[in-house]
Amino acid sequence: MTNSLIQKYNVPGPRYTSYPTVPYWNELDFTYEIWLNTLKKSFIESNSTEGISLYIHLPFCESMCTFCGCNKRITKNHEVENPYIQAILKEWTLYCDVLNERPNIKEIHLGGGTPTFFSSENLAMLINGIFAKADKAPDYEFSFEGHPNNTTREQLQQLYDLGFRRVSFGVQDYSEKVQKAIHRIQPFLNVAKVTLWAREIGYTSIGHDIIFGLPFQEKEDVIDTIEKTKSLQPDRLAFYSYAHVPWIKGNGQRGFNDEDIPKDDKKRELYETGKQLLYENDYHEIGMDHFALTSDSLFQSFEVGKLHRNFMGYSSSKTQLMIGLGVSSISDSWYSFAQNVKTIEEYYQLLDANTIPVFRGHVLTEEDLTIRRHILNLMCQFKTSWADPKNYFNEIPEIVIQLKEMEKDGLVNFIPEGIQVTEAGKPFVRNICMAFDLLLKRKAPNTALFSMTV
């Protein structure tokens, strides 16, 4: 990858966990009633065939990691666990009352924050409470994020007994200097211990999250981290770019200076070094920033064109409806998005009033849905086509002009009425998606909204 390409394409851009992206939601046309109507419509269309997904946000952490941009509450007081779980179960009850039929749950993902902040007993109370009002869909897949420093064997066993077979551990980087800068001191021994425990218990997919572009990170650090990772052979890996977004309130990204962060060609060297090592160790690139062994369900799903992406990240199967439970969670009915309030206090207050704690959202237009399909195709299959009339829109000729420039740079190849991302173009897939993003083109942000694409 040439430095000139990096300089040309390294611009602020969305990560496209959704389209439209949150800053471009039309909140004025969104109402609570519209959300409930699209929720019920999507549930009727999909519950009996593919089931639904649940994302449950568990926001508590015992300490602040200064690379994190997630919604969290820092506390060492574990008395917060039970009231929060009761609130989530109240929210779930309100949703089930609206749906008026037992949901078939295809996916559950516990995210955070730190899900393993919660005791195994409380995690069991949460999941058992969910299934008091729901059933497991065929071929269900339940996953959670574990912190290597505080995940216990008891928690792993408890969640396994409840049906969880996939776990991801946040590794980031093994360099002590980097760990100190991001306030995440985490010895390799801790990661090895929880990885081996999960394998012994029977988890079929163990993931590690690694970040490049962290403060003070050098090429040797990436090599060392991936060599250590290789020795544990996780089934899948997220190898993604550090998103430096210090302007987001409360995200904690203040533990280092801007000049401490690798930029442009140096940052890209970290990526290329890591990617090559992953290739050499039999990991295959699937979607943006994700790699997997051929034995993992994510790779197999990618191979047959069934990989899906939503607010939970990549998954090996699609559900049309995803309900987000917990503070700040985002729900997706395919036809609209809805986000919960961001503070725990307001979350509790609305639930006490028997109100689903949604505070904003977006109703997707026909144009939104068409572009959403293209961006999902690019993110999940590295190709898209507008041959089908439902995937064509009037601005396609203008987009083709922009894509022709990317073709000259070796990022895409044209196929009949569509494009395929090249191997050289995979690191720039966010930029390629941006070519289709009409909302971003119509109103470029005049303040910092997105992290850099490269």
Side-chain angles (χ1 to χ4, degrees):
M1 182 188 305
T2 65
N3 290 349
S4 60
L5 280 184
I6 294 170
Q7 289 161 2
K8 181 175 181 177
Y9 289 103
N10 191 23
V11 296
R15 297 209 168 198
Y16 292 113
T17 47
S18 73
Y19 183 85
T21 56
V22 175
Y24 287 93
W25 285 4
N26 180 359
E27 297 179 32
L28 293 177
D29 289 345
F30 175 85
T31 67
Y32 185 75
E33 291 71 25
I34 288 174
W35 162 240
L36 295 185
N37 287 336
T38 65
L39 169 81
K40 288 184 279 190
K41 177 184 178 183
S42 190
F43 181 76
I44 290 167
E45 291 175 349
S46 63
N47 182 56
S48 62
T49 53
E50 63 187 22
I52 73 168
S53 293
L54 283 188
Y55 171 74
I56 304 176
H57 190 72
L58 303 174
F60 302 110
C61 298
E62 288 197 345
S63 65
M64 173 78 80
C65 301
T66 57
F67 68 89
C68 177
C70 300
N71 182 291
K72 65 270 183 185
R73 178 70 62 90
I74 308 301
T75 181
K76 293 185 184 295
N77 175 21
H78 286 262
E79 296 299 315
V80 299
E81 293 183 35
N82 189 279
Y84 189 77
I85 287 174
Q86 295 307 319
I88 285 180
L89 294 178
K90 173 73 176 288
E91 184 184 3
W92 178 234
T93 296
L94 292 174
Y95 268 116
C96 290
D97 289 346
V98 170
L99 299 175
N100 201 29
E101 182 183 331
R102 284 178 73 87
N104 293 307
I105 300 179
K106 178 72 175 289
E107 292 181 312
I108 294 177
H109 183 70
L110 307 181
T114 305
T116 48
F117 175 95
F118 289 75
S119 70
S120 55
E121 294 82 6
N122 282 332
L123 290 169
M125 180 170 63
L126 169 63
I127 301 305
N128 287 330
I130 293 293
F131 283 104
K133 297 180 177 294
D135 301 309
K136 293 176 183 175
D139 302 320
Y140 64 86
E141 186 174 85
F142 301 164
S143 60
F144 73 98
E145 298 164 14
H147 192 317
N149 284 355
N150 67 15
T151 300
T152 66
R153 185 169 186 129
E154 183 184 16
Q155 287 170 320
L156 287 163
Q157 186 66 59
Q158 180 68 268
L159 287 168
Y160 181 88
D161 293 344
L162 290 164
F164 286 73
R165 295 294 181 269
R166 184 160 71 80
V167 57
S168 60
F169 296 113
V171 172
Q172 326 325 336
D173 187 282
Y174 286 117
S175 160
E176 289 184 16
K177 186 175 184 180
V178 173
Q179 289 187 359
K180 186 176 179 181
I182 63 176
H183 201 238
R184 177 81 171 222
I185 307 301
Q186 184 171 273
F188 170 71
L189 183 63
N190 290 6
V191 180
K193 182 172 63 176
V194 293
T195 299
L196 295 175
W197 279 345
R199 191 161 284 134
E200 287 171 4
I201 288 168
Y203 282 81
T204 55
S205 181
I206 300 168
H208 286 185
D209 295 344
I210 300 171
I211 301 178
F212 67 90
L214 289 167
F216 304 111
Q217 194 177 45
E218 301 288 345
K219 179 179 176 180
E220 293 72 23
D221 299 324
V222 171
I223 293 170
D224 178 64
T225 294
I226 291 181
E227 285 297 316
K228 286 184 167 72
T229 300
K230 167 189 163 185
S231 70
L232 300 176
Q233 205 166 33
D235 302 280
R236 60 177 74 168
L237 285 163
F239 182 54
Y240 59 94
S241 168
Y242 163 59
H244 188 55
V245 286
W247 54 84
I248 296 179
K249 182 181 178 182
N251 74 354
Q253 294 184 350
R254 298 290 190 278
F256 41 84
N257 299 318
D258 283 358
E259 58 266 25
D260 300 326
I261 301 169
K263 294 181 178 66
D264 297 337
D265 54 334
K266 182 177 181 182
K267 183 178 180 182
R268 213 61 212 174
E269 184 187 28
L270 300 179
Y271 172 78
E272 295 294 345
T273 298
K275 181 177 175 179
Q276 185 57 40
L277 284 172
L278 293 174
Y279 282 168
E280 290 171 8
N281 288 289
D282 298 324
Y283 288 94
H284 298 262
E285 192 165 15
I286 43 156
M288 184 180 73
D289 307 330
H290 283 68
F291 298 78
L293 299 174
T294 55
S295 56
D296 190 76
S297 62
L298 212 59
F299 173 82
Q300 293 160 6
S301 180
F302 173 73
E303 284 288 279
V304 296
K306 291 186 176 180
L307 192 67
H308 185 57
R309 180 175 169 87
N310 56 28
F311 288 104
M312 299 190 296
Y314 282 106
S315 63
S316 54
S317 60
K318 169 189 165 291
T319 61
Q320 180 171 302
L321 175 60
M322 187 194 82
I323 295 176
L325 302 177
V327 63
S328 78
S329 287
I330 297 177
S331 299
D332 176 4
S333 69
W334 182 255
Y335 304 108
S336 68
F337 302 126
Q339 184 173 21
N340 281 354
V341 292
K342 293 187 175 183
T343 69
I344 292 173
E345 292 75 16
E346 192 176 1
Y347 178 69
Y348 288 169
Q349 184 180 19
L350 287 168
L351 288 170
D352 285 342
N354 293 317
T355 301
I356 294 172
V358 163
F359 87 105
R360 66 172 175 176
H362 175 86
V363 182
L364 282 84
T365 64
E366 284 301 317
E367 178 187 277
D368 292 340
L369 288 167
T370 303
I371 295 171
R372 185 181 191 186
R373 285 192 290 269
H374 283 296
I375 288 176
L376 274 173
N377 289 342
L378 290 166
M379 286 282 173
C380 298
Q381 301 172 31
F382 292 127
K383 62 182 177 181
T384 194
S385 167
W386 45 87
D388 187 327
K390 74 176 183 180
N391 290 332
Y392 188 88
F393 51 98
N394 291 336
E395 289 82 358
I396 285 289
E398 297 169 30
I399 291 169
V400 166
I401 293 170
Q402 190 174 349
L403 293 172
K404 288 282 187 185
E405 181 71 18
M406 292 183 172
E407 182 189 36
K408 287 180 188 175
D409 290 330
L411 307 187
V412 300
N413 288 325
F414 276 87
I415 55 178
E417 295 187 86
I419 55 164
Q420 173 99 39
V421 180
T422 65
E423 189 64 33
K426 287 179 180 179
F428 299 99
V429 70
R430 290 168 68 187
N431 300 84
I432 298 166
C433 289
M434 286 167 68
F436 289 84
D437 190 338
L438 296 186
L439 294 174
L440 184 65
K441 289 179 176 180
R442 288 169 186 156
K443 188 179 179 183
N446 52 21
T447 58
L449 289 179
F450 305 114
S451 60
M452 304 301 281
T453 57
V454 179

